[in-house]
Amino acid sequence: MGLFDKLFGKTNPEKPTTTSQPKVGHQEEWEFYFSNVNDKLGSLFVDLGLRKVAPMADKPNVVWVSIKMNNPREDGLSSQEESELLGDIEDALVDKIISKHNSIYVGRLTSAGDRDLYFYFGDTTLYDKTISEVMVAYPKYQFDFGSKEDKEWGGYFDFLYPLPQQFQSIQNRRVIEQLEKGGDKLTKEREVFHWIYFKSDSDREKFLEKIKNDNFSIVSKYSDKSWGEFAYRLQLKRVDKVDQNSVDDYVIYLWKLANELNAEYDGWETSIEKD
């Protein structure tokens, strides 16, 4: 599986163009999600916060380091017994590469028995020497590396950054994590509320027609021109499970229906249930 097949295998027409002046500083926002990468399960860990400052004109080169895992799981992801050491290797590489080359670490992919780390550089002189110096301390691990010009940061936007549906799943997980922090065991079904915003009342009625057999109840229908383009709100509720798989199932369903009507699914919420 070639690295740059993974990096540049799809396009994102909405990514911004490089600015003439480099932007510096950003609020890190690290998240993980799962995806299919060349027909293999992949776990991606990416700094979503870079979306606001990338591409950086002073860092036009992508550099990758690929580490062959010694004891991967059957599905190609990292095993529990190896994860700590892989984390140590990653930390060592990130610290050394960033400090020596003024580069920025953007994320990683774990898939098919490999862990691939991605950086953006200005000058790539002697980057290979830096990587080799770190990996000397881990003689049992095979590794590879490479670099490529990527002024538009396609490796970040088109590969590492989640697609809209994947991002919605991340948002779902964030809500679930807040429930767990509140003491919720996620075992009890409860009312789950959803908000969708439409451009017209007719689109809202079309949406309701599509879900008429799905047991959702209408909480409110409201419109306000001060909201701008999406001036027609719909609030729904239904008693549901709130584990990740269940939430993804019904939220992605509503999200897709909203997209079909050029509407915006605006999220969900529910009560914390401790019993």
Side-chain angles (χ1 to χ4, degrees):
M1 176 164 57
L3 173 90
F4 291 108
D5 288 339
K6 293 185 287 187
L7 272 177
F8 303 107
K10 57 178 183 283
T11 60
N12 180 353
E14 297 183 354
K15 65 177 181 291
T17 56
T18 305
T19 57
S20 58
Q21 294 295 324
K23 299 177 182 178
V24 295
H26 75 285
Q27 183 69 42
E28 292 186 7
E29 186 184 347
W30 289 94
E31 278 287 359
F32 74 90
Y33 68 99
F34 296 98
S35 185
N36 183 299
V37 181
N38 285 6
D39 298 322
K40 302 290 185 181
L41 177 63
S43 172
L44 294 104
F45 184 60
V46 58
D47 182 0
L48 301 179
L50 284 166
R51 178 69 174 78
K52 297 179 180 178
V53 298
M56 297 179 184
D58 65 333
K59 292 178 174 56
N61 302 299
V62 61
V63 167
W64 56 273
V65 187
S66 183
I67 302 158
K68 178 69 68 176
M69 290 185 281
N70 291 328
N71 298 292
R73 300 186 336 193
E74 288 187 5
D75 60 10
L77 301 186
S78 58
S79 60
Q80 186 173 357
E81 58 268 28
E82 194 175 16
S83 61
E84 184 175 352
L85 182 52
L86 289 171
D88 291 342
I89 297 172
E90 179 178 1
D91 289 344
L93 284 166
V94 170
D95 289 346
K96 183 69 74 172
I97 291 172
I98 289 177
S99 63
K100 276 206 165 188
H101 299 277
N102 191 31
S103 62
I104 188 163
Y105 180 47
V106 299
R108 71 170 188 242
L109 165 70
T110 305
S111 182
D114 294 323
R115 173 157 290 182
D116 302 335
L117 314 181
Y118 302 94
F119 303 81
Y120 276 87
F121 274 60
D123 183 4
T124 58
T125 302
L126 297 180
Y127 83 91
D128 51 339
K129 182 174 181 292
T130 302
I131 294 169
S132 297
E133 286 174 350
V134 173
M135 293 306 296
V136 164
Y138 306 96
K140 294 183 179 180
Y141 280 89
Q142 299 178 38
F143 66 98
D144 196 4
F145 51 79
S147 67
K148 184 180 179 69
E149 185 178 77
D150 183 19
K151 292 181 179 180
E152 304 301 325
W153 281 42
Y156 174 77
F157 286 109
D158 300 337
F159 174 62
L160 289 173
Y161 199 87
L163 295 171
Q165 181 173 322
Q166 294 164 333
F167 190 77
Q168 181 60 57
S169 182
I170 290 172
Q171 297 284 70
N172 293 342
R173 187 176 69 240
R174 289 174 174 174
V175 178
I176 292 168
E177 287 172 351
Q178 291 303 310
L179 294 177
E180 291 179 310
K181 287 179 181 178
D184 201 316
K185 301 299 183 183
L186 310 181
T187 56
K188 185 177 180 180
E189 293 188 356
R190 79 289 302 266
E191 286 188 334
V192 179
F193 296 83
H194 307 267
W195 284 262
I196 307 100
Y197 288 82
F198 300 84
K199 294 182 179 180
S200 69
D201 183 57
S202 62
D203 286 342
R204 183 167 57 186
E205 293 305 313
K206 289 175 185 176
F207 184 91
L208 288 170
E209 178 66 22
K210 287 177 178 289
I211 65 168
K212 65 180 181 180
N213 296 321
D214 295 321
N215 297 319
F216 288 102
S217 299
I218 298 174
V219 178
S220 68
K221 293 166 64 177
Y222 191 73
S223 63
D224 188 333
K225 296 297 184 180
S226 69
W227 295 340
E229 185 178 13
F230 296 91
Y232 297 84
R233 185 178 71 188
L234 174 65
Q235 184 183 5
L236 302 171
K237 69 176 182 179
R238 191 177 71 176
V239 174
D240 273 306
K241 298 178 180 179
V242 292
D243 60 277
Q244 180 80 49
N245 288 336
S246 297
V247 171
D248 278 349
D249 185 49
Y250 55 75
V251 167
I252 297 300
Y253 168 66
L254 294 174
W255 176 85
K256 285 182 175 179
L257 288 180
N259 284 345
E260 289 176 10
L261 294 168
N262 296 312
E264 286 191 350
Y265 179 83
D266 196 44
W268 61 279
E269 69 176 28
T270 190
S271 57
I272 293 176
E273 303 290 342
K274 295 183 179 181
D275 297 330

